[in-house]
Amino acid sequence: MKKSILITGATSGIGKSTAYLFASKGYNLLLTGRREERLQEIKTELEKEYNSTVQTLCFDIRNQDEVKENLASIDHELFPTIDILLNNAGLASGLNTIDNGEFSDWDVMIDTNVKGLLYVTRTLLPKLKEQKTAHIINIGSTAGKNVYQNGNIYCATKHAVDALSQSMRIELLPFGIKVTAINPGACETEFSVVRFKGDKERADKVYKDFDPLTPEDIADTIYYCATLPKHVCINDLTLTCLTQANANYNIKKSELK
Ligand code: NDP
Ligand code: 8X3
């Protein structure tokens, strides 16, 4: 029987690359995001390219009712099990000192990165526990391991993801559910365009002369963690590009000796 993966935030970046990789490996896919058109495009492409079974679920993970309603609509004939839950949807909004911070930026980050991840996980857990086998993979960040200047609230949300991954691992151990936290450093996706509210020029500068991770690098890492033998669980994995040491220290490519 084909395995299934549910990916939150599959319309772009890491989530989208992971969807293509798992589709190419024969998985069935449950793909979520708010941008319906993109979900449909991806579904059409994956069905055509890999003959994948894809169900799209278009909702905002900040909205409890939408989360419950959409996850209740999963077609259990097509998806008898959810073998992997990839909690990936997330974002940064703004880059400011706390005293210059916008409450609305804080709300969107906390509501998406922490509460949204919890709503999805909580709603799916009864099914995952009943299955007695599953793998929850939470996308944290190097920003969840240490903090960088003006990263304050985003870093706090990713530290929360780190804490939640540790808690889930303890709670779900008796149910045979693996929990892996994957913590990428800078990776070129729509992340910085979203953080800088559409300012593409400012976003591009983040990655200039830097050679960041690609979303495909993260997808490969997710696939590696997800396909280890049943008795092996990578608990926590941090990866960066060659020019980054941690969340607050990196060099430019031209500084390599
Ligand atoms: P992208 O902006 O490219 O992708 C983010 C995805 O999250 C999109 O598919 C978006 O879909 C979805 N999303 C955002 N908000 C919501 C919401 N409220 N409801 C549902 N879906 C939502 O960024 P990345 O691929 O880089 O980000 C993916 C994850 O990786 C995030 O958790 C991020 O914090 C983390 N990360 C990113 C790093 C980087 O440098 N890029 C490094 C470390 C971690 P849509 O807009 O359609 O809803
Ligand atoms: C996202 C990458 O550089 O903001 O987690 O920490 S960064």
Side-chain angles (χ1 to χ4, degrees):
M1 195 178 65
K2 276 188 166 188
K3 289 193 170 180
S4 302
I5 180 168
L6 187 150
I7 302 174
T8 66
T11 54
S12 157
I14 295 168
K16 182 175 174 184
S17 291
T18 306
Y20 278 76
L21 179 62
F22 277 75
S24 75
K25 302 289 185 183
Y27 281 70
N28 293 335
L29 299 118
L30 288 152
L31 304 180
T32 92
R34 289 165 301 178
R35 286 170 287 183
E36 173 70 26
E37 206 174 296
R38 285 208 187 182
L39 285 172
Q40 287 315 318
E41 269 171 30
I42 294 167
K43 176 178 158 71
T44 307
E45 232 175 83
L46 295 181
E47 285 170 346
K48 194 167 155 223
E49 184 81 14
Y50 303 111
N51 200 22
S52 310
T53 299
V54 183
Q55 183 177 352
T56 61
L57 302 165
C58 185
F59 66 96
D60 187 327
I61 61 166
R62 291 172 295 175
N63 183 311
Q64 291 179 24
D65 292 336
E66 286 186 28
V67 170
K68 286 185 196 157
E69 212 174 287
N70 277 277
L71 296 180
S73 76
I74 291 172
D75 183 335
H76 293 295
E77 298 221 327
L78 291 177
F79 299 91
T81 57
I82 297 169
D83 302 284
I84 303 164
L85 163 60
L86 178 65
N87 279 316
N88 164 74
L91 79 173
S93 192
L95 187 68
N96 270 316
T97 54
I98 291 173
D99 67 340
N100 283 315
E102 295 286 347
F103 291 172
S104 56
D105 284 336
W106 300 356
D107 284 346
V108 78
M109 288 187 276
I110 293 168
D111 290 351
T112 310
N113 301 356
V114 183
K115 291 164 70 182
L117 179 149
L118 280 169
Y119 295 160
V120 170
T121 308
R122 169 70 181 90
T123 308
L124 288 175
L125 268 179
K127 176 165 176 59
L128 302 187
K129 284 165 77 172
E130 194 186 285
Q131 291 174 186
K132 298 222 165 45
T133 169
H135 194 164
I136 298 176
I137 302 180
N138 293 328
I139 299 299
S141 170
T142 44
K145 296 293 178 182
N146 58 326
V147 303
Y148 55 90
Q149 198 174 10
N150 296 341
N152 43 57
I153 313 304
Y154 178 70
C155 295
T157 66
K158 289 298 179 178
H159 276 71
V161 172
D162 189 7
L164 291 170
S165 297
Q166 294 182 49
S167 299
M168 287 180 199
R169 195 170 306 114
I170 294 168
E171 292 173 20
L172 298 174
L173 205 59
F175 298 94
I177 298 177
K178 295 185 190 182
V179 179
T180 298
I182 295 182
N183 312 298
C187 170
E188 192 163 5
T189 60
E190 293 178 11
F191 179 86
S192 292
V193 179
V194 171
R195 163 170 262 169
F196 299 128
K197 300 169 186 179
D199 186 342
K200 178 94 174 56
E201 208 178 314
R202 190 171 173 199
D204 286 345
K205 279 197 191 135
V206 174
Y207 308 110
K208 201 161 177 271
D209 190 22
F210 187 57
D211 215 0
L213 294 169
T214 66
E216 290 78 20
D217 296 326
I218 318 294
D220 285 341
T221 307
I222 293 167
Y223 186 74
Y224 173 73
C225 292
T227 51
L228 287 165
K230 191 172 163 52
H231 67 287
V232 182
C233 177
I234 293 192
N235 291 348
D236 189 86
L237 188 155
T238 298
L239 70 158
T240 63
C241 66
L242 188 61
T243 49
Q244 180 169 21
N246 58 36
N248 61 33
Y249 189 75
N250 56 66
I251 58 171
K252 291 292 177 192
K253 229 174 28 166
S254 49
E255 293 176 274
L256 282 169
K257 303 212 184 293

